[in-house]
Amino acid sequence: MLTLRLLDGADRGRVYENLEPPITIGREEGNTIQLNDERVSRYHVKIQEDNEKLVLTDLESTNGTRVNGEDIQLCILRFGDLLTIGRSVLVFGSREEIAERLANLRKNGTPKNPTVDEKSELLEGENQGDPLDYELNWSDDADLQATLHLLEPPELPERLSPAQAAQLSELLEYLHIRVRNVLHSAHTNEDEEMVELEVRPWQDLIDFQARVGGYLRLISDPGKE
Protein backbone atom coordinates (compact mmCIF):
# COMPACT_ATOMS: atom_id res chain seq x y z
CA MET A 1 0.00 0.00 0.00
CA LEU A 2 1.30 3.44 -0.96
CA THR A 3 0.98 6.87 0.63
CA LEU A 4 1.42 10.17 -1.22
CA ARG A 5 1.06 13.60 0.41
CA LEU A 6 0.71 16.86 -1.52
CA LEU A 7 3.11 19.51 -0.27
CA ASP A 8 2.48 22.19 -2.87
CA GLY A 9 0.12 23.07 -5.68
CA ALA A 10 -3.60 23.70 -5.89
CA ASP A 11 -4.33 20.46 -4.00
CA ARG A 12 -1.70 20.90 -1.28
CA GLY A 13 -2.58 19.34 2.04
CA ARG A 14 -4.32 16.32 0.53
CA VAL A 15 -3.16 12.88 1.67
CA TYR A 16 -3.70 9.74 -0.38
CA GLU A 17 -3.32 6.57 1.68
CA ASN A 18 -3.66 2.82 1.19
CA LEU A 19 -3.14 3.06 -2.57
CA GLU A 20 -2.54 -0.27 -4.23
CA PRO A 21 -0.15 -0.22 -7.20
CA PRO A 22 -0.28 0.26 -10.07
CA ILE A 23 -1.50 3.86 -9.74
CA THR A 24 -1.54 6.79 -12.13
CA ILE A 25 -1.37 10.53 -11.46
CA GLY A 26 -2.72 13.09 -13.90
CA ARG A 27 -5.22 15.81 -14.68
CA GLU A 28 -7.88 13.55 -16.22
CA GLU A 29 -10.67 11.75 -14.42
CA GLY A 30 -9.83 8.06 -14.15
CA ASN A 31 -6.41 8.59 -12.57
CA THR A 32 -5.84 7.21 -9.10
CA ILE A 33 -4.80 10.74 -8.10
CA GLN A 34 -6.36 13.57 -10.12
CA LEU A 35 -4.49 16.87 -9.82
CA ASN A 36 -6.06 20.26 -10.41
CA ASP A 37 -3.06 21.62 -12.31
CA GLU A 38 -3.03 22.79 -15.93
CA ARG A 39 0.68 21.92 -16.24
CA VAL A 40 -0.04 18.29 -15.44
CA SER A 41 -0.71 16.02 -18.41
CA ARG A 42 -3.92 14.02 -18.71
CA TYR A 43 -2.02 10.89 -17.63
CA HIS A 44 1.30 12.13 -16.29
CA VAL A 45 3.04 9.36 -14.32
CA LYS A 46 2.54 5.75 -13.34
CA ILE A 47 3.81 3.99 -10.22
CA GLN A 48 3.96 0.21 -10.32
CA GLU A 49 5.59 -2.60 -8.38
CA ASP A 50 8.29 -4.74 -9.98
CA ASN A 51 10.54 -7.23 -8.18
CA GLU A 52 9.59 -5.73 -4.82
CA LYS A 53 10.61 -2.27 -6.03
CA LEU A 54 8.32 0.66 -6.73
CA VAL A 55 9.01 2.10 -10.17
CA LEU A 56 7.86 5.55 -11.29
CA THR A 57 7.48 6.09 -15.03
CA ASP A 58 6.84 9.39 -16.77
CA LEU A 59 4.07 8.76 -19.32
CA GLU A 60 5.63 11.05 -21.96
CA SER A 61 4.14 14.04 -20.17
CA THR A 62 4.33 17.48 -21.76
CA ASN A 63 6.22 19.18 -18.92
CA GLY A 64 8.12 16.21 -17.56
CA THR A 65 8.57 14.82 -14.05
CA ARG A 66 11.22 15.57 -11.45
CA VAL A 67 12.23 13.41 -8.49
CA ASN A 68 14.30 15.16 -5.83
CA GLY A 69 14.95 18.00 -8.28
CA GLU A 70 16.14 15.78 -11.14
CA ASP A 71 14.32 15.28 -14.44
CA ILE A 72 13.51 11.59 -14.79
CA GLN A 73 11.83 9.24 -17.22
CA LEU A 74 12.09 6.12 -15.07
CA CYS A 75 13.26 5.68 -11.48
CA ILE A 76 12.99 3.60 -8.31
CA LEU A 77 11.02 5.40 -5.59
CA ARG A 78 12.22 5.57 -2.00
CA PHE A 79 10.30 6.79 1.02
CA GLY A 80 10.79 10.52 1.41
CA ASP A 81 11.34 11.22 -2.29
CA LEU A 82 9.89 14.49 -3.61
CA LEU A 83 7.90 14.25 -6.85
CA THR A 84 7.39 17.43 -8.85
CA ILE A 85 4.57 17.08 -11.36
CA GLY A 86 3.60 20.33 -13.01
CA ARG A 87 3.22 22.86 -10.19
CA SER A 88 2.35 20.12 -7.73
CA VAL A 89 4.87 18.63 -5.29
CA LEU A 90 4.21 15.31 -3.57
CA VAL A 91 6.20 13.41 -0.96
CA PHE A 92 6.23 9.63 -1.25
CA GLY A 93 5.59 7.59 1.89
CA SER A 94 3.87 7.94 5.22
CA ARG A 95 5.57 9.64 8.16
CA GLU A 96 6.29 6.22 9.66
CA GLU A 97 7.81 4.89 6.43
CA ILE A 98 10.04 7.94 6.02
CA ALA A 99 11.10 7.71 9.68
CA GLU A 100 12.03 4.05 9.19
CA ARG A 101 14.19 4.89 6.18
CA LEU A 102 15.95 7.67 8.09
CA ALA A 103 16.51 5.29 11.01
CA ASN A 104 18.11 2.73 8.68
CA LEU A 105 20.38 5.40 7.18
CA ARG A 106 21.32 6.55 10.66
CA LYS A 107 22.18 3.04 11.81
CA ASN A 108 24.45 2.60 8.81
CA GLY A 109 26.27 5.84 9.59
CA THR A 110 27.85 7.41 12.64
CA PRO A 111 25.34 8.09 15.41
CA LYS A 112 25.39 11.42 17.22
CA ASN A 113 25.10 11.94 20.95
CA PRO A 114 23.01 10.99 22.81
CA THR A 115 23.33 7.32 21.95
CA VAL A 116 20.53 5.32 20.35
CA ASP A 117 19.80 3.52 23.61
CA GLU A 118 19.76 6.75 25.62
CA LYS A 119 17.40 8.51 23.28
CA SER A 120 15.14 5.46 22.91
CA GLU A 121 14.82 5.24 26.69
CA LEU A 122 13.98 8.94 26.81
CA LEU A 123 11.16 8.63 24.31
CA GLU A 124 9.86 5.42 25.87
CA GLY A 125 9.83 7.09 29.25
CA GLU A 126 7.66 9.88 27.93
CA ASN A 127 5.51 7.37 26.04
CA GLN A 128 4.98 9.91 23.30
CA GLY A 129 6.69 11.43 20.28
CA ASP A 130 6.23 11.27 16.54
CA PRO A 131 8.71 8.88 14.87
CA LEU A 132 9.44 11.27 12.00
CA ASP A 133 9.98 14.23 14.34
CA TYR A 134 12.33 11.99 16.30
CA GLU A 135 14.40 11.03 13.24
CA LEU A 136 14.45 14.48 11.63
CA ASN A 137 15.69 16.00 14.86
CA TRP A 138 18.20 13.27 15.74
CA SER A 139 20.69 15.65 17.27
CA ASP A 140 22.30 16.75 20.48
CA ASP A 141 21.46 20.38 19.71
CA ALA A 142 20.51 21.84 23.11
CA ASP A 143 18.65 24.78 21.53
CA LEU A 144 16.51 22.41 19.49
CA GLN A 145 15.67 20.20 22.45
CA ALA A 146 14.85 23.18 24.65
CA THR A 147 12.54 24.66 22.02
CA LEU A 148 10.66 21.56 20.95
CA HIS A 149 10.39 19.83 24.33
CA LEU A 150 11.12 16.31 23.15
CA LEU A 151 10.31 17.23 19.57
CA GLU A 152 6.63 18.00 19.97
CA PRO A 153 5.52 20.37 17.17
CA PRO A 154 4.01 23.65 18.40
CA GLU A 155 0.30 24.39 18.13
CA LEU A 156 -1.17 27.33 16.28
CA PRO A 157 -2.44 30.20 18.47
CA GLU A 158 -6.17 30.30 19.16
CA ARG A 159 -8.76 33.09 19.29
CA LEU A 160 -7.01 35.28 16.75
CA SER A 161 -8.82 38.29 15.40
CA PRO A 162 -9.54 38.20 11.64
CA ALA A 163 -6.69 40.65 11.02
CA GLN A 164 -4.27 38.61 13.15
CA ALA A 165 -5.31 35.40 11.41
CA ALA A 166 -4.73 37.05 8.04
CA GLN A 167 -1.28 38.28 9.13
CA LEU A 168 -0.32 34.85 10.46
CA SER A 169 -1.50 33.21 7.24
CA GLU A 170 0.54 35.70 5.20
CA LEU A 171 3.62 35.08 7.33
CA LEU A 172 3.34 31.28 7.07
CA GLU A 173 2.78 31.54 3.32
CA TYR A 174 5.99 33.60 3.01
CA LEU A 175 7.95 31.03 5.05
CA HIS A 176 6.42 28.21 3.01
CA ILE A 177 7.54 29.79 -0.27
CA ARG A 178 11.08 30.39 0.99
CA VAL A 179 11.42 26.76 2.13
CA ARG A 180 9.89 25.53 -1.13
CA ASN A 181 12.44 27.46 -3.18
CA VAL A 182 15.30 25.83 -1.28
CA LEU A 183 13.77 22.36 -1.68
CA HIS A 184 13.38 22.85 -5.41
CA SER A 185 17.07 23.71 -5.77
CA ALA A 186 18.36 20.64 -3.90
CA HIS A 187 19.74 17.61 -5.73
CA THR A 188 20.59 14.09 -4.63
CA ASN A 189 24.05 12.65 -5.27
CA GLU A 190 24.71 9.47 -7.26
CA ASP A 191 24.09 7.21 -4.26
CA GLU A 192 20.86 9.09 -3.48
CA GLU A 193 21.79 9.14 0.21
CA MET A 194 23.00 12.74 0.34
CA VAL A 195 21.31 15.95 -0.74
CA GLU A 196 23.45 18.65 -2.35
CA LEU A 197 22.70 22.36 -2.29
CA GLU A 198 24.38 25.05 -4.38
CA VAL A 199 25.86 28.19 -2.85
CA ARG A 200 23.05 30.56 -3.82
CA PRO A 201 20.17 28.56 -2.21
CA TRP A 202 22.46 27.84 0.76
CA GLN A 203 22.88 31.59 1.27
CA ASP A 204 19.13 31.96 0.82
CA LEU A 205 18.65 29.43 3.61
CA ILE A 206 21.03 31.35 5.86
CA ASP A 207 19.17 34.59 5.12
CA PHE A 208 15.91 32.77 5.82
CA GLN A 209 17.16 31.65 9.22
CA ALA A 210 18.30 35.19 10.02
CA ARG A 211 14.91 36.59 9.04
CA VAL A 212 13.08 34.03 11.19
CA GLY A 213 15.39 34.97 14.07
CA GLY A 214 14.38 38.60 13.54
CA TYR A 215 10.69 37.65 13.65
CA LEU A 216 11.23 35.76 16.92
CA ARG A 217 13.02 38.77 18.41
CA LEU A 218 10.25 41.17 17.41
CA ILE A 219 7.53 38.87 18.71
CA SER A 220 9.25 38.42 22.08
CA ASP A 221 9.80 42.18 22.42
CA PRO A 222 7.86 44.37 19.93
CA GLY A 223 9.78 47.43 21.12
CA LYS A 224 13.07 46.18 19.68
CA GLU A 225 14.22 47.37 16.29
Side-chain angles (χ1 to χ4, degrees):
M1 296 295 182
L2 311 182
T3 299
L4 286 159
R5 293 177 289 152
L6 274 149
L7 300 184
D8 209 355
D11 299 295
R12 68 182 180 187
R14 289 184 178 272
V15 179
Y16 298 89
E17 300 177 296
N18 300 320
L19 303 176
E20 187 171 350
I23 71 169
T24 59
I25 304 174
R27 195 180 69 249
E28 191 83 359
E29 289 186 14
N31 285 284
T32 313
I33 297 177
Q34 183 183 8
L35 297 177
N36 181 26
D37 186 338
E38 71 277 6
R39 293 183 60 84
V40 171
S41 295
R42 293 173 61 249
Y43 291 90
H44 201 108
V45 299
K46 181 178 183 180
I47 300 175
Q48 58 190 337
E49 190 172 9
D50 186 33
N51 291 328
E52 299 183 350
K53 301 287 187 182
L54 289 168
V55 182
L56 181 144
T57 305
D58 182 271
L59 300 176
E60 299 184 358
S61 63
T62 302
N63 294 304
T65 301
R66 300 171 71 192
V67 175
N68 298 326
E70 297 293 336
D71 293 321
I72 64 95
Q73 180 62 38
L74 187 72
C75 76
I76 301 295
L77 283 181
R78 296 170 175 82
F79 297 130
D81 282 348
L82 283 178
L83 285 57
T84 303
I85 301 173
R87 293 189 174 89
S88 302
V89 180
L90 305 91
V91 61
F92 173 63
S94 66
R95 295 179 64 86
E96 292 75 17
E97 290 167 334
I98 296 171
E100 183 178 359
R101 182 188 176 199
L102 291 176
N104 290 333
L105 290 173
R106 169 170 54 78
K107 291 173 183 177
N108 292 331
T110 303
K112 300 179 181 179
N113 290 328
T115 66
V116 175
D117 290 339
E118 289 171 341
K119 200 148 188 180
S120 296
E121 290 174 2
L122 181 63
L123 285 179
E124 289 172 2
E126 292 294 328
N127 193 28
Q128 63 181 5
D130 184 287
L132 184 57
D133 288 336
Y134 168 65
E135 288 299 336
L136 288 177
N137 295 290
W138 178 260
S139 170
D140 56 358
D141 187 325
D143 289 340
L144 177 67
Q145 294 176 0
T147 300
L148 296 185
H149 304 292
L150 297 179
L151 314 180
E152 284 294 312
E155 296 181 355
L156 288 172
E158 298 179 352
R159 295 185 295 277
L160 297 175
S161 70
Q164 289 173 327
Q167 284 182 296
L168 178 60
S169 177
E170 187 175 55
L171 175 60
L172 292 177
E173 180 69 15
Y174 167 78
L175 299 178
H176 179 269
I177 291 172
R178 290 292 294 269
V179 171
R180 179 183 64 192
N181 289 341
V182 173
L183 286 176
H184 283 181
S185 63
H187 304 280
T188 54
N189 64 6
E190 293 181 358
D191 296 329
E192 295 192 359
E193 293 183 357
M194 297 287 291
V195 176
E196 300 172 344
L197 202 60
E198 296 177 357
V199 173
R200 186 181 296 275
W202 170 247
Q203 290 297 322
D204 184 43
L205 189 60
I206 293 172
D207 177 72
F208 174 76
Q209 182 179 13
R211 191 174 291 272
V212 171
Y215 283 143
L216 291 171
R217 184 170 182 266
L218 290 172
I219 290 172
S220 62
D221 187 350
K224 292 181 180 179
E225 296 182 356

